[in-house]
């Protein structure tokens, strides 16, 4: 009996060992690492700040990040054969994170501008934006940019809106990490106006027309680009070629219509 038990034990240990080795085989190591890398899609990290609807925001129902930028970068990855890993962070830190290589791609409604071009490389423009002003719905004193003098202006920190607000004579500029908090400050009277990207203002004002209205039209024209680390031409070329493929196959226009609500201009995306 003792002998039998020992045999049974050996048998069980043997089975266990076989089971383990099979599990290891289950992972696709398939011999050399080189062979594995050729088949695996590269995965790039994508940074964005998610209080910027309709470009990037958290879907209230699903809790997932969504918007024009999010779907666009995923679609670029699909046609160019790479996966993306979404990473939310403060807007102010995105260009620096791409510059140092902590993040592969910055896709966050980032305006292509002189000082940023010194830090990172940008894709071809994929969206034409501009700045605009939001005030409380019952505001009567502020009807345009000239009325912002000496007023308290809420902005998102590190944005072109923040830069613009600081050029206004006598204005007090109040920085916020999130656009939604800056808007709240206008609503509760802590600030008189918000200066921020026009299409984003439009989205939030349409969401709460009893709280907010837009005044003064489009102040400044800007183009959004997707940022990569300086000299990362391999990734930049993938992004540019992806944008052009999505333009040709109609997917760019579909996403644009879905999120912006109108047809994209003929020249976008493009030089
Ligand atoms: N376009 C502006 C800029 O580049 C604001 C972008 C803010 N983006 C965001 N996802 N919060 O400065």
């Amino acid at each position: 009996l003792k002998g039998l038990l020992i045999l049974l034990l050996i048998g069980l240990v043997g089975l266990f060992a076989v089971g383990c080795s099979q599990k290891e085989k289950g992972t696709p190591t398939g011999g050399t690492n080189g062979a594995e890398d050729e088949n695996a899609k590269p995965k790039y990290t994508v940074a964005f700040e998610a209080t910027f609807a309709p470009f990037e925001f958290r879907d209230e129902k699903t809790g997932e990040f969504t918007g024009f930028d999010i779907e666009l970068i995923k679609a670029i990855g699909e046609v160019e054969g790479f996966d993306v890993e979404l990473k939310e962070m403060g807007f102010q830190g995105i260009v620096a994170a791409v510059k140092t290589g902590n993040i592969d791609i910055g896709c966050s409604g980032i305006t292509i501008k002189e000082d940023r071009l010194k830090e990172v490389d940008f894709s071809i423009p994929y969206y034409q934006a501009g700045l605009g002003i939001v005030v409380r719905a019952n505001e009567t004193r502020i009807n345009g940019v000239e009325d912002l003098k000496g007023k308290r202006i809420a902005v998102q920190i590190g944005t072109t809106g923040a830069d613009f607000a600081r050029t206004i004579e006598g204005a007090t500029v109040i920085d916020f990490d999130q656009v939604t908090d800056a808007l709240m400050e206008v609503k509760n009277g802590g600030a008189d106006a918000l200066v921020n990207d026009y299409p984003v203002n439009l989205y939030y004002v349409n969401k709460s027309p009893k709280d907010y209205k837009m005044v003064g039209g489009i102040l400044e024209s800007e183009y959004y680009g997707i940022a990569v680390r300086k000299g990362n031409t391999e990734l930049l070329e993938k992004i540019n070629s992806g944008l052009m493929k999505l333009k040709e196959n109609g997917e760019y226009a579909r996403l644009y219509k879905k999120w912006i609500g109108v047809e994209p201009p003929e020249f976008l995306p493009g030089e």
Side-chain angles (χ1 to χ4, degrees):
L1 188 70
K2 216 177 176 184
L4 252 173
L5 266 175
I6 288 173
L7 267 178
L8 202 83
L9 219 86
I10 291 173
L12 275 175
V13 168
L15 270 177
F16 184 66
V18 168
C20 283
S21 78
Q22 232 139 35
K23 237 179 236 156
E24 265 163 37
K25 272 184 206 141
T27 60
T29 48
T32 70
N33 281 330
E36 183 196 358
D37 288 347
E38 267 172 45
N39 298 328
K41 277 190 198 175
K43 185 181 244 174
Y44 298 120
T45 46
V46 177
F48 56 91
E49 190 284 324
T51 62
F52 207 67
F55 296 94
E56 42 269 331
F57 61 105
R58 217 183 253 284
D59 185 295
E60 279 165 24
K61 284 190 203 97
T62 64
E64 304 280 328
F65 293 120
T66 189
F68 184 59
D69 284 343
I70 305 291
E71 292 203 334
L72 187 65
I73 195 66
K74 283 183 181 169
I76 292 171
E78 246 159 64
V79 292
E80 291 296 319
F82 64 80
D83 285 328
V84 297
E85 186 180 334
L86 301 178
K87 299 243 186 199
E88 193 193 14
M89 59 166 68
F91 182 75
Q92 213 188 7
I94 295 176
V95 167
V98 171
K99 180 183 178 177
T100 59
N102 274 340
I103 288 289
D104 299 310
I105 298 170
C107 187
S108 192
I110 307 174
T111 300
I112 303 170
K113 64 185 193 97
E114 214 54 48
D115 56 339
R116 290 176 184 160
L117 280 163
K118 289 192 197 122
E119 312 290 317
V120 293
D121 286 342
F122 280 99
S123 70
I124 53 175
Y126 69 92
Y127 187 82
Q128 182 176 20
L131 294 175
I133 304 166
V134 177
V135 295
R136 280 180 297 282
N138 61 7
E139 176 64 67
T140 53
R141 305 160 301 163
I142 304 171
N143 297 300
V145 65
E146 56 294 338
D147 302 323
L148 288 178
K149 284 183 189 147
K151 297 288 193 298
R152 293 163 302 168
I153 306 172
V155 297
Q156 182 174 44
I157 192 163
T159 60
T160 49
D163 291 344
F164 185 87
R166 290 200 159 80
T167 67
I168 293 166
E169 207 187 303
T172 306
V173 180
I174 317 168
D175 288 297
F176 289 87
D177 287 329
Q178 307 196 328
V179 173
T180 42
D181 286 341
L183 270 168
M184 200 56 83
E185 194 73 358
V186 174
K187 181 176 165 179
N188 67 32
D192 304 303
L194 166 85
V195 175
N196 181 49
D197 295 37
Y198 193 91
V200 176
N201 292 348
L202 192 64
Y203 181 96
Y204 288 110
V205 168
N206 281 340
K207 218 176 144 195
S208 314
K210 61 171 202 340
D211 297 321
Y212 306 109
K213 67 180 176 187
M214 301 183 63
V215 292
I218 298 177
L219 303 179
E220 204 117 303
S221 179
E222 307 183 346
Y223 290 93
Y224 293 169
I226 298 170
V228 302
R229 198 228 276 259
K230 257 202 170 308
N232 192 351
T233 45
E234 190 194 333
L235 182 52
L236 194 63
E237 274 163 21
K238 282 187 197 177
I239 291 170
N240 283 338
S241 123
L243 279 169
M244 292 316 288
K245 281 181 198 166
L246 297 175
K247 180 178 183 169
E248 274 148 37
N249 72 14
E251 181 65 5
Y252 171 83
R254 190 188 72 82
L255 291 177
Y256 196 104
K257 251 182 281 171
K258 172 177 175 184
W259 292 108
I260 314 299
V262 294
E263 294 283 345
E266 199 61 40
F267 62 94
L268 287 175
E271 292 302 331

